[in-house]
Amino acid sequence: MFYREAGDFKTSYVADNQTFPIAFDRYRYYVVLAVAIGVVPFMLNEYFASAVLIPFLIWSIIAIGLNILTGYCGQVSLGTGGFMAVGAYASYKLMTAFPDLNIFFVILASGGVTAGVGLLFGLPSLRIKGFYLAVATLAAQFFLVWLFNRVGWFYNYSASGQINAPERSVFGFNVTGALAAPEAKYLFCLAFVILLGIVARNLTRGKLGRSWMAIRDMDIAAEIIGVDPLKAKLSAFAISSFFVGVGGALFFAVYLGAVEVGEAFGINKSFLALFMIIIGGLGSIFGSFAGAAFIVLMPVLLKNVMVGGLGWPTDIAAHFEFVILGGLIIFFLIVEPHGLAALWRLAKEKLRLWPFPH
């Protein structure tokens, strides 16, 4: 009864085209932000922050980036893990080379470096698409991991090949290193999620986003009506890689603190990001958040139930997670290809028409 448009009048095109035109959606968004900023940090403990919230925020950024490329522009990518590694190693080199550079700008600059690399590996999309493009991005994944493993300059010639994030602070609070408090790391990641979420939402609703969707739906027809495929595809690769690079830098510097590229950014990370947008919903910013939440929360929930509650061995519980994940992917591909975002959209439509749902 409360989810209505009646009485919510728009007096300008700007008001009609705002991100959340329905008043209830706007208020819900403000409430979620208020709780995330003003309530959650005071209720955090180390386990909940490191096991749930921080990985959810970081994977949301990565999922949004991949959704821009695959969901909005229709360019399949299996190189997400490699681009995460680019962001991580770029942030490490920047932090060690410029110790006085603020960590906020380090993360953004790491995204910029990743955008340049993504632009380079996006060039094949001008000639190939579909399965062949997926194979090309898969090759980028293996090449980047091999590069960071073999070239000692990237890990400052460390004997172990491992990189460790130096301590950095924002407003006097450590956000990297062993002394970083969980609430500081959470708020730092949340700031990037809010900023990049707003940017992605506006990009996908603007001229550039419409050109991406035109290329996705039918590239030849899009080119006939004036969409430049070179600009559309390369901009999608660059912007997507920027988001993934920022996520990779946060994954290394804030979440893990120390990584070895083969273990932290292997092909499994690329598939995990792809599963997020499939389950959450292709071509949806909300779907990116929903898919990230589902993939991050499901293992935690299953581990608490199967290992903590039922007493199952840890290895059996871990294998069972893969079984459930695979089954859910098949389910969503068959029953609801647009994922959780479509179910949420359907629920909202029913609420708007209640008590006469169609």
Side-chain angles (χ1 to χ4, degrees), residues 268-332:
N268 60 315
K269 292 294 188 295
S270 299
F271 284 116
L272 201 61
L274 188 62
F275 296 158
M276 286 177 184
I277 64 172
I278 290 174
I279 291 176
L282 291 169
S284 168
I285 302 299
F286 171 79
S288 303
F289 285 102
F294 188 90
I295 296 296
V296 169
L297 287 172
M298 187 192 69
V300 176
L301 181 62
L302 289 178
K303 189 175 295 183
N304 286 327
V305 171
M306 293 188 293
V307 178
L310 301 177
W312 288 17
T314 307
D315 55 343
I316 294 178
H319 288 299
F320 198 66
E321 290 173 17
F322 289 111
V323 173
I324 293 176
L325 182 60
L328 285 171
I329 291 169
I330 296 171
F331 171 80
F332 276 105

Side-chain angles (χ1 to χ4, degrees), residues 337-355:
H338 297 290
L340 295 172
L343 298 178
W344 173 245
R345 190 161 49 245
L346 179 62
K348 289 203 301 181
E349 288 298 322
K350 288 185 178 295
L351 278 174
R352 290 169 71 183
L353 296 173
W354 190 88

Side-chain angles (χ1 to χ4, degrees), residues 215-230:
I215 291 292
R216 175 196 66 191
D217 294 338
M218 189 173 292
D219 53 353
I220 297 175
E223 188 173 4
I224 290 172
I225 64 174
V227 175
D228 184 356
L230 172 67

Side-chain angles (χ1 to χ4, degrees), residues 105-138:
F105 297 109
V106 166
I107 301 297
L108 290 179
S110 302
V113 172
T114 313
V117 176
L119 197 65
L120 179 65
F121 283 103
L123 290 173
S125 68
L126 304 177
R127 292 288 184 181
I128 57 178
K129 58 184 178 179
F131 171 76
Y132 301 100
L133 180 60
V135 172
T137 56
L138 186 62

